[in-house]
Amino acid sequence: MQAVILCGGLGTRLKNKYKNIPKALVKFKKKPNLIKIIDNLFNQNFKEIILLTAYKNEQIHKSIKNHKNYKKIKILNDKEFTGTGGALVGANRILKEKFLVILGDLYIDFNYRKFFVHSVKKKYNTNTVIHPNNHPFDSDTVSYNSNDKIKKFYLKNSSKIKPNNAIAGIFFLKKKIIKSKYNKKNIDLVKDILVKNKSNFVYKTIDYIKDFGTKKRIFKIKKQILANKLINFKTKKAAVFFDRDGVLNKEVGVIKKLNQFKIIYSTIESIKILNKLNIPCFLVSNQAALSKKIIKFKTFENIHAKLENVLSKNKAYLDDYAYCPDFDGKKFSNKDFPYFYKYRKPNIGIINHFKNKYNLNLKKSYFIGDRDIDVLTGKKAGCKTFLVKSPKNKDYILDVKPDYFVKNALYAVKKILLIK
């Protein structure tokens, strides 16, 4: 397996503090970030690493000359082409048929091998790691379908409303998509190569991948490292599951129109708290109104977009979503929408799906809902459960009690932090 690390960035936004070193050599825990990425790749059985350099490339050479795997590392400084895609065009002659591309200005704790093997197994030409973040408006993001195929790219600062599926900066590529001729020398991997490729796929993750392109982001990463708040893909993680109606948004009965969807802002605050502590949070909701044909799919899709957009504007995000509209034998699916599953609460199939996908520890996780089936779902999954105050409380008929009664989701999250 071959991995290519792009480490030629100028680090313009960091010049005041790190003006004498390439961005990839910024240190965390006294270790250059580039060396951390290299060590992790070799520990995951990658056989060859290529470093594509530009700015102060002599310092890159110096930083790795004593590395124990130095002979397996190739360094290329191609001045003819520029940009993330241009660097790959310049390196075309030494690229293998399949390889990973990693941006060197990311602090990463990621299972590279699993991603590579998955991409090869699926026979993808390209596969792009995506994740939600708290700054999607200045990120390239995508929408994708139920087969993980990208439907549309939303480039940086290109849209006021965009899905929070940010391109994380880790890619699987087949060499054949890197063409030998382009009509310009400054070539962007996303804008000039992936966007123009006909078939691109995504790999969603909650592993710790953070861009440190600003001093503020470097400070935040270092603070989280010291507080031991990083998500490690090797360890099982405690998570928080949210119901939607009555928990994330005001309970108004069946929502038929977009203007009926009113988000509870204290819940946004609760999600922001979890984001800052790197505690994964997920939405789990049935939404039978779709199969009952009470609401049009386009309206439902707009409601989901509104939820993501309001969270993004408040620098908050849910790590993933799950809906099961199936009801009373009636099935509903739309292959253009990636968040539909066949497991209707109180079936815990969705919870187990997230558990397996993201390596969750359900016994240390929590479910926040406003109905008896939410409590039953959480109990069956082995989670601690919270019942928030809601008009739907009066319809509570199941003989199952929540672990805690709370006013709203914010009270629940504050309680969770005390429990932890």
Side-chain angles (χ1 to χ4, degrees), residues 179-373:
K179 298 176 182 178
S180 57
K181 292 184 179 180
Y182 289 85
N183 58 8
K184 57 181 180 178
K185 290 188 177 182
N186 189 345
I187 304 162
D188 185 83
L189 173 56
V190 175
K191 185 168 58 176
D192 298 313
I193 296 178
L194 294 183
V195 170
K196 295 177 182 178
N197 189 54
K198 291 183 179 180
S199 182
N200 300 289
F201 292 84
V202 295
Y203 181 92
K204 194 164 190 175
T205 185
I206 64 170
D207 290 351
Y208 195 88
I209 306 171
K210 299 291 184 183
D211 164 27
F212 57 84
T214 67
K215 289 185 288 185
K216 186 175 180 179
R217 290 177 190 169
I218 290 175
F219 175 79
K220 183 178 178 180
I221 293 169
K222 289 184 175 181
K223 186 177 179 180
Q224 290 179 334
I225 291 171
L226 287 173
N228 195 27
K229 298 297 183 182
L230 306 192
I231 293 177
N232 188 308
F233 71 87
K234 296 178 182 178
T235 58
K236 290 186 178 296
K237 297 163 278 291
V240 178
F241 301 96
F242 290 85
D243 178 42
R244 199 189 77 174
D245 302 333
V247 177
L248 291 179
N249 56 282
K250 294 179 181 179
E251 176 56 48
V252 295
V254 178
I255 296 176
K256 302 176 184 178
K257 299 179 180 179
L258 181 61
N259 62 10
Q260 292 177 293
F261 188 77
K262 308 290 185 182
I263 296 175
I264 301 170
Y265 279 86
S266 62
T267 303
I268 295 176
E269 185 60 31
S270 71
I271 293 170
K272 285 180 71 172
I273 291 171
L274 296 172
N275 294 157
K276 288 177 181 178
L277 295 172
N278 289 312
I279 298 174
C281 45
F282 305 95
L283 178 147
V284 180
S285 182
N286 285 340
Q287 299 303 315
L290 280 165
S291 61
K292 293 177 181 179
K293 298 184 178 179
I294 297 173
I295 182 175
K296 295 180 179 179
F297 173 72
K298 186 62 179 177
T299 303
F300 170 84
E301 196 172 31
N302 288 338
I303 287 170
H304 179 86
K306 181 178 179 179
L307 172 59
E308 278 206 289
N309 190 54
V310 172
L311 288 172
S312 294
K313 283 184 175 180
N314 286 276
K315 296 191 177 298
Y317 58 87
L318 288 160
D319 288 274
D320 211 340
Y321 301 83
Y323 299 98
C324 181
D326 298 352
F327 180 77
D328 197 24
K330 296 177 181 177
K331 305 282 186 182
F332 185 92
S333 65
N334 186 308
K335 291 185 178 180
D336 282 336
F337 191 74
Y339 303 121
F340 286 144
Y341 298 85
K342 63 181 180 180
Y343 306 108
R344 178 179 173 80
K345 291 183 300 183
N347 186 305
I348 63 171
I350 286 175
I351 307 294
N352 283 332
H353 165 76
F354 285 144
K355 171 192 170 184
N356 295 331
K357 183 175 182 179
Y358 298 122
N359 195 22
L360 305 179
N361 185 340
L362 296 184
K363 289 183 179 180
K364 292 186 177 181
S365 297
Y366 306 86
F367 200 110
I368 305 172
D370 69 333
R371 296 184 61 190
D372 47 5
I373 64 166

Side-chain angles (χ1 to χ4, degrees), residues 13-29:
R13 293 175 294 177
L14 296 175
K15 279 192 174 181
N16 290 338
K17 188 173 178 63
Y18 298 97
K19 60 183 177 181
N20 295 318
I21 63 169
K23 207 166 25 168
L25 295 183
V26 170
K27 290 184 179 181
F28 296 94
K29 297 177 71 173

Side-chain angles (χ1 to χ4, degrees), residues 96-111:
K96 293 190 180 299
E97 180 191 352
K98 306 177 187 75
F99 56 94
L100 290 193
V101 176
I102 302 158
L103 302 189
D105 59 350
L106 301 172
Y107 189 89
I108 306 170
D109 199 342
F110 179 70
N111 195 331

